[in-house]
Amino acid sequence: MLEIKNLCVQLEEEDKQILKGVNLSLEAGKVHAIMGPNGSGKSTLSYVLSGKGGYEVTEGSAHLEGNDILEMEPEERAAAGLFLAFQYPVEIPGVGNMTFLRTAVNSQRKLRGEPEMSAGEFLKVVRAKAKDLKIDADMLKRPVNVGFSGGEKKRNEILQMAMLEPKMCILDETDSGLDVDAMKLVAQGVNALRDGKRTFLVITHYQRLLDHIKPDVVHIMAAGRIIKSGGPELALEVENNGYADLLEETA
Amino acid sequence: MVASSPKVISDRALHDAELISNSGAWAKNARQLASARAQEQGLPQRRDEYWKYTRPDVFVQKNVALIPQACPEIGIFADQMKTEIVFENAKLATHHLPEIDNCKIESLSNASTLDLHWVQDIYGKLELAGQKPVERSLAALNTAMATEGLLVHATGQVSSPIRIHSVSIGITDAVIHHVVKVEAGASVTLIETGQYGARSNVVIEVDVADTGSFHHIRVQDGKESHMLTHIFASIGADAKFKSFTLTTDGKMTRNECILDLVGDNSSVTVAGACLGDSNFHHDDTVFITHDAVNCESRQVFKKVLRNGAVGVFQGKILVKAGAQKTDGYQISQSLLLDEDSQFLAKPELEIYADDVACSHGSTSGAIDEEALFYLRSRGVPEPKAVDLLTLSFIAQAIGEIEDPDLAQAILSYLTDILEAR
Ligand SMILES: Nc1ncnc2c1ncn2[C@@H]1O[C@H](COP(=O)(O)OP(=O)(O)OP(=O)(O)O)[C@@H](O)[C@H]1O
Ligand SMILES: [Mg+2]
């Protein structure tokens, strides 16, 4: 699904290298998790993949279903099936959540040359999906993320994901700020989208989320590189011992 | 360059002499006084501090060859409107003015020969009161020379808004003067759409009695037009005044709003939003005087500018001695979509009372890159994402509109305009 080869990234503004040759191969239908110390480059990886400005790719490549996504505009990547649930979702005052969602869904459809979703159909679908995530009608009407609690923002990200039905989902610390019940809701939301083809890259600091969303592969990222990959047991190891041993191993 | 905009008013005086002599008693008197006032003040000059950011030339030049453009009939407010009055080439095209409950509507051209006491107390009087501390001679000229206008007398709750729609094809100058009187406990909403002329000088005088309530919504969309407007309002106690203007086109626009809070516990709002592109100059000049206790005033202006468009805001809150518990709020912001565009702001506070809360702020900024990326990452193409952020930026000003249906109508209209450009 997503092939990342030797991805090297530095900041456009300053001469600071953040990703130093990341290799990842995410097969269709699988759940991969990335863990790693603060500042190791996890969010940067997710931003570069989704096309945020300010970063320069100096080497390497990233292909989504064989297509070079690094050449695409962010909206084209989205239409191609890439989705990023933000670590810090952005507030957009004055734009209703519903308007935003419908614009997003129909923009993607248009970019793909598909017919737009009618207002009626959209309403039906969004109501059902919002209900699953315990997002009430009021939250749908309010401006995007404005005045939402941390946990509400994260659930709103998952609602967007559910509506957009991407092929490749990147979740950047979607679990942080969630209470125990919200975490279950979000995990259910993600698991409901697992259909054997859809692929997930879950960035997290905690094993807890991985209890609910069972990963196939766990990667450890440090200082801009994937330093170790393994099964779910790797997450447990981090949970129990921290990163010190792992960092030493590879040093 | 002074030669191109003389200070003396000569030809104009000749022109209004005829109009004045043909007017009935009260109108004649008001017009003569205004004419003398304008003569004495002279035309605004470029060097006037008050016209620092906006050149008055186009409003004062004698022989301007401005081409009026047909304004497309807009579907805005179609659902809400029951009472519509049409102006064509600055003349009333609605010959039988609507008769509605709790409200009497007359035309200026007709009424100047009638003995209308309530109009006599307002026509030219509020304009005169608004001549201090700065002279607004073009408003005085308007009082002297206005050829048409509506006189609206609300004596109770007027259930549906009164819409004035103007079309102008083939005339240059329009001098229009409306007068509104809102009696105690009465309320009325006035909506203006379209354009009166290629170059228009419009004055609205509004007298809101104690416990009265006045709402005003204006959509300015004349393509090549040059619009000068003045609102002069006097607001009594426990009363309300709200005005919102959306400007989506026009080469040169200056909207002045002069409000006097003369009764306690009242609230006023002046809000505006504009979308400016290239040859577009848009000036909001507001002067609010608090001369009573426990009043609230709000000024909310949002300007979206691109391709060298210019936005101007001059806003002043004057709190007189004794106007305690005044709550004054003023915000003027611009969203500059490129580096060629410009926003000039001059916010002012002058306070002579001690128990007062006043805040003001003015900002200029570009599109928020974080928000733009967020939208694009959801598949929204860049131009559409910019439109959404533009709406986001303007939302606060639209939020000042009292009636949610009218606010929604403005929002949909704006969305269509953005989509079309
Ligand atoms: N725009 C930027 N300007 C300056 N430094 C940046 C920028 N973006 C990222 N960095 C730096 O790059 C490094 C990696 O940041 P990144 O946000 O990717 O880390 P992370 O692994 O997601 O950390 P966390 O676990 O705290 O979320 C950090 O040192 C960060 O300060
Ligand atoms: Mg991060």
Side-chain angles (χ1 to χ4, degrees), chain A residues 52 73-75 78 83-84 86 93 95 100 103 107-108 145 157 160, chain B residues 370-371 373-382 384 388-389 392 395:
Chain A
K52 190 176 186 185
E73 297 295 338
E75 54 268 34
F83 179 89
L84 167 64
F86 280 52
V95 175
F100 163 63
T103 308
S107 294
Q108 288 206 10
N145 292 327
E157 293 291 288
Q160 292 168 37
Chain B
E370 290 284 324
F373 173 62
Y374 188 60
L375 290 171
R376 295 180 72 189
S377 78
R378 296 306 181 242
V380 183
E382 189 172 3
K384 178 89 192 160
L388 277 177
L389 294 176
S392 162

Side-chain angles (χ1 to χ4, degrees), chain B residues 214-252:
Chain B
F214 176 72
H215 297 273
H216 175 235
I217 290 177
R218 176 165 55 189
V219 179
Q220 299 174 315
D221 58 358
K223 280 240 164 322
E224 300 285 310
S225 63
H226 300 73
M227 297 172 275
L228 173 69
T229 73
H230 287 86
I231 296 173
F232 296 96
S234 166
I235 295 99
D238 301 296
K240 196 172 208 172
F241 171 104
K242 277 193 161 196
S243 175
F244 171 87
T245 301
L246 174 69
T247 311
T248 56
D249 217 329
K251 267 189 182 157
M252 166 71 74

Side-chain angles (χ1 to χ4, degrees), chain A residues 6-25:
Chain A
N6 189 33
L7 192 62
C8 297
V9 170
Q10 65 180 42
L11 292 175
E12 246 167 30
E13 295 282 299
E14 49 187 298
D15 195 18
K16 180 177 169 185
Q17 196 172 7
I18 300 174
L19 299 184
K20 299 165 184 164
V22 173
N23 290 292
L24 277 175
S25 178

Side-chain angles (χ1 to χ4, degrees), chain A residues 11 14 16 18 37-44 55 87 173 205:
Chain A
L11 292 175
E14 49 187 298
K16 180 177 169 185
I18 300 174
N38 293 132
S40 54
K42 305 181 295 297
S43 292
T44 302
Y55 301 101
Q87 182 172 0
E173 293 196 29
H205 285 293

Side-chain angles (χ1 to χ4, degrees), chain B residues 25-216:
Chain B
W26 70 266
K28 194 171 185 171
N29 187 36
R31 288 179 189 276
Q32 275 170 344
L33 289 170
S35 179
R37 180 153 73 236
Q39 302 263 11
E40 194 190 312
Q41 292 169 339
L43 294 170
Q45 300 293 298
R46 245 189 238 179
R47 61 174 179 270
D48 292 352
E49 177 69 15
Y50 195 55
W51 287 87
K52 190 169 170 183
Y53 302 119
T54 298
R55 291 182 167 192
D57 306 31
V58 74
F59 296 122
V60 302
Q61 273 159 8
K62 248 192 326 182
N63 303 312
V64 278
L66 300 174
I67 306 138
Q69 303 264 324
C71 223
E73 170 63 34
I74 50 173
I76 189 172
F77 305 129
D79 301 341
Q80 288 100 351
M81 274 333 106
K82 293 204 194 78
T83 311
E84 190 177 74
I85 296 163
V86 177
F87 279 71
E88 248 173 53
N89 295 336
K91 292 199 170 63
L92 262 180
T94 304
H95 297 296
H96 297 282
L97 289 173
E99 291 182 17
I100 48 178
D101 288 347
N102 298 325
C103 191
K104 191 100 182 75
I105 307 173
E106 264 300 345
S107 72
L108 178 65
S109 58
N110 192 36
S112 60
T113 55
L114 300 178
D115 191 23
L116 287 178
H117 285 281
W118 72 268
V119 184
Q120 298 172 34
D121 294 341
I122 304 172
Y123 190 89
K125 299 262 165 63
L126 298 186
E127 172 256 298
L128 170 64
Q131 294 291 348
K132 274 181 283 188
V134 283
E135 292 175 343
R136 301 164 211 267
S137 58
L138 293 172
L141 258 183
N142 178 299
T143 300
M145 299 169 55
T147 53
E148 195 50 290
L150 291 183
L151 312 175
V152 179
H153 190 193
T155 50
Q157 307 273 331
V158 181
S159 57
S160 83
I162 299 167
R163 175 187 174 185
I164 302 170
H165 184 64
S166 319
V167 277
S168 66
I169 311 146
I171 66 138
T172 301
D173 277 309
V175 185
I176 303 290
H177 196 122
H178 304 301
V179 178
V180 181
K181 164 98 187 178
V182 186
E183 297 288 359
S187 77
V188 65
T189 301
L190 187 71
I191 295 177
E192 292 179 277
T193 54
Q195 64 170 328
Y196 295 101
R199 179 169 70 168
S200 56
N201 178 338
V202 180
V203 166
I204 310 178
E205 290 176 293
V206 188
D207 184 10
V208 187
D210 295 354
T211 70
S213 161
F214 176 72
H215 297 273
H216 175 235

